[in-house]
Amino acid sequence: MTSRTSRLSEWAILLGVGAIIAATFAADVNVPLGRNLWLFYFLALTLSFASPRRWMPFLAVGTIILVLLAGWFLGPAGVDRGLAALNRSLAATVMLILSFAGSVMIRNRERVTAHDWEQRVEVRLADDLQGDLSPEEIGDRCLAVLSESLEARAAAFYAVEGDSLRRIAGWGLDDAMSDPMGAGHLRRALKERRIVKLEAPGDSALGWRSGLLQGRALYSVILPVRDGASVNGVIEIGLDQPPSPRALDLLPRLAERIGVLLRSALYRGELRALLEETQRQAEELHNQTEELAATNEELEEQTRALRESEGRLRDQQAELEEQNAQLETQTAQLEEQRDALARSRRDLADQAEELARESRYKSEFVANMSHELRTPLNALLIMARLLAENRPGNLVPDQVQWAETIESSGKDLLALINDILDLARIEAGKVDFDPVPVVAASITAKMERAFSPLARDRGLALHLDISDDAGELVTDAVRVEQILRNFIGNALKFTQKGSVTLRLSAQADGVAFSVIDTGIGIAPEQQQAVFEAFRQADGTISRRYGGTGLGLSISRDLAQLLGGEITLESHPGKGSTFTLLLPRVAPNAPPATASARPAAPARAPASIATEAPRVETVASTDERMLLIVEDDPAFASILVDLADELDFRTTVVATADEAIRFAREQKPKGIVLDIGLPDHSGMTVLDRLKRDAGTRHIPVHIVSAEDHSAKALAQGAMSYLLKPVARESLAKAIENLDRKLKKHPRQVLIVEDDPAQLMGLRELLRSNEVETHGTATAAEALAACRETSFDCIVLDMTLPDASGFELLEKLSEDDSAPFPPVIVYTARDLSDAEEQRLRRHSRSIIIKGAKSPERLIDEVTLFLHQVVSDLPPRQREMLAASLNRDAHLDGRRILVVEDDIRNVYALTGVLEPHGVDVQIARNGREALEALGRVADGGGPRIDLVLMDVMMPEMDGLTATREIRRIARWKSLPIIMLTAKAMADDHAQCLAAGANDYLSKPLDVDKLLSLARVWMPR
């Protein structure tokens, strides 16, 4: 405000001087020269002395001299001009002298004013800094005085602490200003010990602000603060204009005074801290003194007690001497016992070593026996399956039935072998357990799904009775399910009429699974015998119930290993109740197990009616049933909640085999599938579903942490999401399923420029649920896609106005046109580069030929998710022919590494009808030689290797490791085949480098599915 007032005052003086000069000049020009009106110019000169500018009198004199001269020339005649010139010259000389005097007067006045201003600032600063102030208070008061005196916009005070600066005060600072890091011009001012002046553009300067205003200080003055020889602080002041000289003269004088006060404040702070520390130490010393006094009293008491003890010790010494004699005698006896104990330990060690050797021999015998039993059984089951399929059609129905009977008997034999091996593994201590948190109700739900079809076939009712407080337990769910399967299987077998009830209830320290039947019952004298191996309640020669009696024996041993027990309550003719009692936490479970994996939701699955006395059927066609295939309980819970919100009923399974079984039996309206499943890859589930005429129409959404999206979409998956996945994406995928269920009829666009072929394709693909649309050019196809949402596009690559490549790229770039699955149907031979280019947009490529219409029907019905039974008869026949031919395996070359000729013959019989070229190697060494010939160009390429584990010369694990060491075969698919079926076989095969694993006897469907999944297109 002062600066602004000063500028207004200067302008007023300047205007006054100008006005007087102008008025006097006007009068001088119009009045005869004899009149001395020009003397009024002295008034203007005198007024210029009031200006604070030293140059103002000189400016006024210069102007007056010019107008005096002009007045002499322009004034009217009447006086001697020589005299007038003399007078005016004398006046100009006098005025010039007066201007020098006025300039000196203004300078002296400025000095007096500056001195007075400096004294006022020093006095005010001295008054404000009186008393014992802290560094922060000194900083605040210094900045207040300096900022108001210098008309500053913002200011900051930093104290030197070691090698860094700490801001102790601020005045008018913006929030954006932060403490410095000890570098820059602040450090420069401290080092040089002089004032630093800075100027910055508006966008580079930090701001000041108030409640209503804000701005930027364009000029900065950095003042180091000294306390004599050292610099202990720095003050930075932000100004709107350059600092005045008087300010630059004043600041160094104030710096030392402020520095001394700051040093005193810092010393006072250190003294206060030292005083507090001294007081604290004095209190500690006082406490220690009291403790020492108490300790001295205790020592005196102990001294008296020691004197008394000394007397007692003398008495005891005499007693000890007597006891020593007795101890010597006892020592001799102990030495004899020690020698005997050492001999016993050696005997026990020998026995333990013998037991370990016998256990090892038993394990090896179990493994070898498994191999010897399963190897011929594998060939038997595969050949029986081939005969039962009767692909050549040359067997009569009775012969087909005989083959099915052979296969069924072989499976019964396999079940017996598995039971014997389980019993041997339990006795040898080779059974692995994986305790995890599991909801007890989910186990009963799984048992209901597994046995409901069998109960219906036998005309029995299967009930569930689940307690609400059953809750969660930490155990091996697979072993619990194995025990319950034995209970329920026996109950259904020994019950002719009535019902079987699976009851789940909470106990004081665990849970109880009870299986209650209305069957034949067991006599009291036989209730203990049924738990012995190879014993049954009906064990007479004329018995009417089959079985080996191993199931309950295995169940009893498994229950003990789980920390539980099995109880039996039965009365002949009234039924039996088998109860499995389990603790909440299995023994030897890791401490973190209960919290390591979130448990699945405690509610029963939507397909189970826990409150009603009967099982609710889930296969009705009007139900919105969604199957969730996921082994992670936490993520499965999220999917269940989301499906519930979208009005879907859900069933959750955790394995690939359960997913296939449920899909075939219950026909859900959609499937959410994980790829990483514990028994098989989810890709095999997708392949088997899409190869089955009864399930290929079910839409499958894949949610997995592994990226197999291109392969899965080509095999018919509706969508593919990678974990971690947002909840909105999951909801959108399930909503797409809902729209897919409601959308009828399906729309197919055929892009073909040949009218005859276009008409033929439309007739080929048309049905009651499919509408076909035809276009002959790329432009028409693009326009049709913008107008109609198609479910599938059949595209010819050769079009009159553009190629198929260009149309696909336009569709992918056009956000206004949806991009459905595309099937390329062309007669053009495609190069590898063109095929790879097409794979980015198309899910299937079909080359026109004799069998191409069948393949086209296969692909179109796959992507439209059509129910096979709803297809026209001609399309069903073409689809069946395409599925039987298996185009994915046709022309592929598979290396079978197997030493048993029966298995070689069986595998050849499975693969060759699908168009596979089978090459044989009898051991791992021959397999390496065959691959070596391929690498040298001496043989056709190998697409897949089926590798047996147990072979002479070189086993399958060693051969697989050797193959993976060769760079060329790093990505060659290898599927291991083993008949040992031990617990760690799967892990050993994957560790050796295998892609997947199958145990013998081989499941033909799984084998073909794995081959299709792992062989690249």
Side-chain angles (χ1 to χ4, degrees), residues 719-737:
S719 65
Y720 200 107
L721 297 176
L722 280 173
K723 296 179 183 178
V725 59
R727 193 174 189 274
E728 294 76 11
S729 300
L730 290 173
K732 184 177 180 181
I734 299 178
E735 288 170 354
N736 288 339
L737 170 62

Side-chain angles (χ1 to χ4, degrees), residues 856-873:
L856 181 60
I857 287 291
D858 182 6
E859 298 290 346
V860 171
T861 56
L862 178 66
F863 295 131
L864 294 183
H865 305 286
Q866 289 181 269
V867 180
V868 175
S869 60
D870 295 339
L871 295 176

Side-chain angles (χ1 to χ4, degrees), residues 903-933:
N903 282 331
V904 171
Y905 182 66
L907 289 172
T908 303
V910 170
L911 298 172
E912 285 186 345
H914 291 271
V916 176
D917 184 5
V918 178
Q919 182 176 347
I920 307 300
R922 292 174 297 177
N923 53 54
R925 194 172 306 282
E926 290 187 8
L928 289 172
E929 292 173 356
L931 292 176
R933 288 192 295 271

Side-chain angles (χ1 to χ4, degrees), residues 457-630:
D457 292 343
R458 292 179 177 270
L460 301 175
L462 179 61
H463 300 319
L464 289 182
D465 183 4
I466 301 176
S467 174
D468 294 335
D469 58 350
E472 183 183 275
L473 65 157
V474 179
T475 189
D476 190 328
V478 175
R479 301 301 178 182
V480 176
E481 292 169 9
Q482 184 177 353
I483 297 172
L484 294 180
R485 287 180 188 276
N486 283 325
F487 287 176
I488 301 175
N490 286 340
L492 294 174
K493 181 170 64 174
F494 291 103
T495 303
Q496 294 180 339
K497 61 180 180 178
S499 64
V500 174
T501 301
L502 175 57
R503 176 178 296 164
L504 172 61
S505 59
Q507 302 295 314
D509 55 351
V511 296
F513 295 89
S514 299
V515 176
I516 308 167
D517 64 61
T518 59
I520 62 174
I522 304 173
E525 62 273 12
Q526 293 181 331
Q527 291 182 8
Q528 185 62 34
V530 295
F531 290 100
E532 298 177 7
F534 305 103
R535 293 289 299 272
Q536 283 191 319
D538 179 21
T540 62
I541 297 176
S542 60
R543 66 177 187 167
R544 56 184 297 183
Y545 303 101
T548 62
L550 288 175
L552 291 178
S553 177
I554 294 173
S555 299
R556 179 197 58 190
D557 294 340
L558 289 177
Q560 292 174 354
L561 292 175
L562 292 172
E565 61 176 339
I566 294 176
T567 63
L568 169 60
E569 181 181 351
S570 181
H571 301 282
K574 295 183 180 180
S576 305
T577 299
F578 286 87
T579 301
L580 170 63
L581 299 172
L582 290 177
R584 287 289 178 182
V585 179
N588 301 323
T593 301
S595 60
R597 248 178 101 180
R603 61 163 159 284
S607 62
I608 305 299
T610 57
E611 298 178 359
R614 62 180 180 85
V615 178
E616 186 177 359
T617 303
V618 297
S620 176
T621 56
D622 59 348
E623 293 182 353
R624 296 165 58 83
M625 172 56 65
L626 184 66
L627 174 62
I628 298 173
V629 188
E630 175 61 61

Side-chain angles (χ1 to χ4, degrees), residues 743-750 761-773 790-792 794 857 860-867 870-872 875:
K743 185 175 180 181
H744 290 285
R746 295 169 174 84
Q747 306 292 326
V748 176
L749 175 63
I750 303 173
L761 290 175
R762 294 190 64 176
E763 291 299 324
L764 176 66
L765 301 178
R766 182 183 290 120
S767 67
N768 293 334
E769 295 186 356
V770 176
E771 291 183 0
T772 58
H773 304 262
F790 291 102
D791 298 283
C792 182
V794 179
I857 287 291
V860 171
T861 56
L862 178 66
F863 295 131
L864 294 183
H865 305 286
Q866 289 181 269
V867 180
D870 295 339
L871 295 176
Q875 291 188 5

